[in-house]
């Protein structure tokens, strides 16, 4: 199982790019700081940093008299800057309401966002700068498959490191300050579990994935999880990344008369080519995707009639109105500031996790915060409700990973239509059964 994990996470993150607005944003570059779409007060670009002893505090006085907690953020700007914009909105909420109450004391929130550039070298340089120059004790990290290489530095300096990119070495028992609080693991795990529960009669399944290492990794992971939850084998078909016309493949798969076709691994553009090819070939079975591509983006690429029997997971903000108060609040604020929401921001669950830990711990001490998160903490934000869970497959009894209450949708007339909720209790039970079986060797590729 583990040999494909990083590959799978990369593909899943590629699917989540739609949630970060990569198709609607201009990447931030060091050559044109004046064009930076994010307020300069919160965004900087990482450079090499000399190391020195970290300061004892991560706070500084602000204009209104509150101390300010500075929180470091690593993002790969080539995948978009919209999550950084949503963080600015959420920081403004805290500060406009008098600050975040931590142990009876109010603090302003400030995020410093550095571009990891998708590079281990740039990312590690940014981590060093955040810890040794900016003196932060908290780092949030998105879409960074090199993040495990930062842990020797963050662990040694007792820096809370919260990511959405699951890499096995990050969750082993020797890591005390690292946590996964994103939606990727839940999507990869609970989408097949929900499918098996909802469509127990769908026994003839075909998967269509790109013919590259990441596509094969995603396909193998999906196939193995369907075998675990649904006790069903899957026929896999692959297509070249350069394909613009998949009509022959669409006809081939349609002639197999499957009950359902799993589409995924190619991002919104390639997945849409697959969907159109199946539609043109006359396929009328169920289409299922584990990636929550917002309907507003998918329907820009696929005719509505091709999505007549489509299901996938969804985020709360996507619906009108959004499914939760927190999602509505962020979506309303986003529309007020930027004019429209096209699937860009998803609520940045890493901040929601840290925020809850700061409030529950009532302190800035990293050990107290680590103990709070790793003791079954629940948290909620615009991305939804989460429950921290243990990872017995990693030999870790502390709750270091996050289960997400996941929603499912279909698309009708170009609009998302709510189907079902895979509840938090469903998710935590799925995690326990799956990872216990995994640790016992019952799940493998």
């Amino acid at each position: 199982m583990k040999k494909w994990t990083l590959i799978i996470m990369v593909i899943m993150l590629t699917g989540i790019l739609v949630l970060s607005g990569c198709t609607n944003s201009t990447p931030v570059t060091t050559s044109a700081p004046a064009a930076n779409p994010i307020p300069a007060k919160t965004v900087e670009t990482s450079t090499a940093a000399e190391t020195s002893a970290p300061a004892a505090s991560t706070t500084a006085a602000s204009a209104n008299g509150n101390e300010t907690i500075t929180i470091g953020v690593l993002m790969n700007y080539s995948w978009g800057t919209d999550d950084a914009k949503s963080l600015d909105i959420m920081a403004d909420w805290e500060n406009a309401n008098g600050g975040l109450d931590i142990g009876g004391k109010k603090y302003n929130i400030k995020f410093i966002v550095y571009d990891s550039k998708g590079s281990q070298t740039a990312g590690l340089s940014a981590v060093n700068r955040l810890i040794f120059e900016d003196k932060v004790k908290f780092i949030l990290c998105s879409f960074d498959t090199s993040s495990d290489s930062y842990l020797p530095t963050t662990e040694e300096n007792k820096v809370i490191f919260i990511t959405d990119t699951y890499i096995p070495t990050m969750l082993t028992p020797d890591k005390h300050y690292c946590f996964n609080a994103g939606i990727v693991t839940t999507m990869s795990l609970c989408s097949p579990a929900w499918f098996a529960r909802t469509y127990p009669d769908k026994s003839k399944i075909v998967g269509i994935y790109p013919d590259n290492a990441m596509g094969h990794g995603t396909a193998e992971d999906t196939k193995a999880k369907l075998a675990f939850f649904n006790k069903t084998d899957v026929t896999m078909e692959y297509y070249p990344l350069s394909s613009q016309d998949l009509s022959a493949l669409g006809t081939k798969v349609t002639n197999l008369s499957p009950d359902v076709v799993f589409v995924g691994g190619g991002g919104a553009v390639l997945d849409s080519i697959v969907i159109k090819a199946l539609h043109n070939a006359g396929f009328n079975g169920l289409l299922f995707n584990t990636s929550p591509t917002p309907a507003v983006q998918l329907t820009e690429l696929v005719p509505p009639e091709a999505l007549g029997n489509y299901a996938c997971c969804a985020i709360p903000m996507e619906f009108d109105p959004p499914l939760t108060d927190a999602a509505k609040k962020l979506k309303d604020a986003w529309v007020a500031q930027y004019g429209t929401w096209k699937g860009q921001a998803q609520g940045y669950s890493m901040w929601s996790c840290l925020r809850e830990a700061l409030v529950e711990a009532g302190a800035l001490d990293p050990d107290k915060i680590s103990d709070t998160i790793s003791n079954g903490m629940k948290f909620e934000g615009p991305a939804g409700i989460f429950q921290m869970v243990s990872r017995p497959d990693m030999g870790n009894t502390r709750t270091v990973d996050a289960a997400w209450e996941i929603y499912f949708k279909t698309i009708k007339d170009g609009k998302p239509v709510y189907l079902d909720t895979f509840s938090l209790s469903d998710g935590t039970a799925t995690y326990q059964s799956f990872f216990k079986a995994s640790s016992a060797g019952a799940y493998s590729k």
Side-chain angles (χ1 to χ4, degrees):
M1 164 179 153
K2 293 179 182 178
K3 68 177 182 178
W4 284 108
T5 301
L6 180 54
I7 290 173
I8 295 160
M9 291 303 110
V10 172
I11 270 289
M12 292 299 294
L13 286 170
T14 301
I16 300 172
L17 296 187
V18 294
L19 303 181
S20 300
C22 64
T23 58
N24 298 289
S25 297
T26 302
V28 179
T29 64
T30 56
S31 59
N36 192 331
I38 309 171
K41 66 186 177 72
T42 57
V43 177
E44 302 177 35
T45 303
S46 63
T47 59
E50 294 182 5
T51 61
S52 59
S57 174
T58 189
T59 63
S62 65
N64 65 2
N66 288 348
E67 290 185 31
T68 296
I69 302 175
T70 301
I71 298 164
V73 183
L74 293 182
M75 289 185 183
N76 183 349
Y77 279 177
S78 66
W79 287 3
T81 60
D82 288 318
D83 271 334
K85 294 177 183 178
S86 69
L87 282 175
D88 266 351
I89 290 172
M90 289 188 280
D92 287 343
W93 292 347
E94 302 293 351
N95 301 340
N97 288 327
L100 182 64
D101 190 325
I102 302 174
K105 183 176 179 180
K106 295 293 186 73
Y107 293 87
N108 285 357
I109 301 298
K110 175 184 177 182
F111 296 104
I112 300 180
V113 184
Y114 288 169
D115 185 2
S116 68
K117 305 177 189 242
S119 159
Q120 179 175 319
T121 300
L124 187 57
S125 175
V127 167
N128 283 329
R129 180 175 177 180
L130 284 168
I131 295 174
F132 299 112
E133 292 189 15
D134 299 317
K135 314 299 185 184
V136 305
K137 283 296 184 182
F138 316 105
I139 295 177
L140 312 176
C141 182
S142 288
F143 303 147
D144 192 336
T145 55
S146 299
S147 48
D148 59 330
S149 66
Y150 314 148
L151 299 187
T153 304
T154 57
E155 287 287 313
E156 180 181 353
N157 290 281
K158 292 189 173 185
V159 172
I160 299 293
F161 187 87
I162 304 177
T163 182
D164 59 6
T165 311
Y166 163 58
I167 299 171
T169 53
M170 304 182 76
L171 302 183
T172 51
D174 59 312
K175 309 300 189 305
H176 300 288
Y177 304 100
C178 177
F179 303 91
N180 179 47
I183 65 177
V184 175
T185 312
T186 298
M187 286 192 304
S188 171
L189 177 59
C190 292
S191 288
W194 178 83
F195 170 84
R197 183 183 75 178
T198 307
Y199 304 103
D201 57 330
K202 304 293 186 184
S203 58
K204 191 172 184 180
I205 303 174
V206 175
I208 302 179
Y209 294 88
D211 190 11
N212 63 355
M214 291 186 291
H216 280 266
T218 306
E220 288 193 24
D221 182 70
T222 300
K223 183 174 183 176
K225 285 173 179 172
L226 284 171
F228 180 84
F229 292 115
N230 208 43
K231 310 303 180 186
T232 300
D233 196 13
V234 182
T235 299
M236 292 298 178
E237 298 286 345
Y238 299 94
Y239 60 90
L241 287 177
S242 59
S243 298
Q244 295 298 314
D245 181 1
L246 292 176
S247 56
L249 180 58
T251 299
K252 177 183 178 181
V253 171
T254 299
N255 287 340
L256 293 173
S257 300
D259 298 319
V260 57
V261 173
F262 269 64
V263 177
V269 174
L270 290 177
D271 288 352
S272 70
I273 294 174
V274 173
I275 293 169
K276 286 187 285 188
L278 289 166
H279 174 69
N280 292 337
F283 176 73
N284 57 12
L286 175 66
L287 285 168
F288 190 82
N289 196 336
T290 58
S291 177
T293 305
V296 68
Q297 294 186 347
L298 193 59
T299 52
E300 290 180 350
L301 303 167
V302 180
E305 58 270 20
L307 299 168
N309 199 10
Y310 178 84
C312 69
C313 56
I315 58 170
M317 291 177 68
E318 181 174 359
F319 300 90
D320 189 17
L323 298 181
T324 67
D325 290 341
K328 184 179 186 303
K329 183 179 179 182
L330 179 57
K331 189 173 184 178
D332 288 347
W334 181 278
V335 171
Q337 186 160 345
Y338 299 107
T340 186
W341 183 86
K342 291 188 175 181
Q344 302 101 317
Q346 55 91 9
Y348 212 76
S349 57
M350 286 72 73
W351 164 236
S352 300
C353 177
L354 178 60
R355 183 190 186 282
E356 182 64 26
L358 287 166
V359 171
E360 284 197 24
L364 302 179
D365 178 69
D367 288 306
K368 291 183 178 179
I369 294 169
S370 174
D371 289 344
T372 298
I373 299 174
S374 62
N375 193 31
M377 187 184 79
K378 290 185 179 180
F379 62 95
E380 182 175 1
I385 304 172
F386 294 76
Q387 168 78 61
M388 298 304 295
V389 294
S390 62
R391 288 297 300 266
D393 58 319
M394 298 285 114
N396 202 338
T397 59
R398 298 165 64 241
T399 60
V400 294
D401 203 353
W404 174 46
E405 182 169 87
I406 184 170
Y407 302 100
F408 288 88
K409 69 171 184 262
T410 188
I411 298 175
K412 300 295 183 185
D413 300 323
K415 303 292 185 181
V417 177
Y418 170 81
L419 284 177
D420 195 14
T421 300
F422 200 70
S423 70
L424 205 57
S425 60
D426 289 335
T428 54
T430 299
Y431 268 64
Q432 290 170 355
S433 65
F434 180 80
F435 287 123
K436 283 181 180 178
S438 179
S439 62
Y443 165 76
S444 62
K445 289 201 267 295

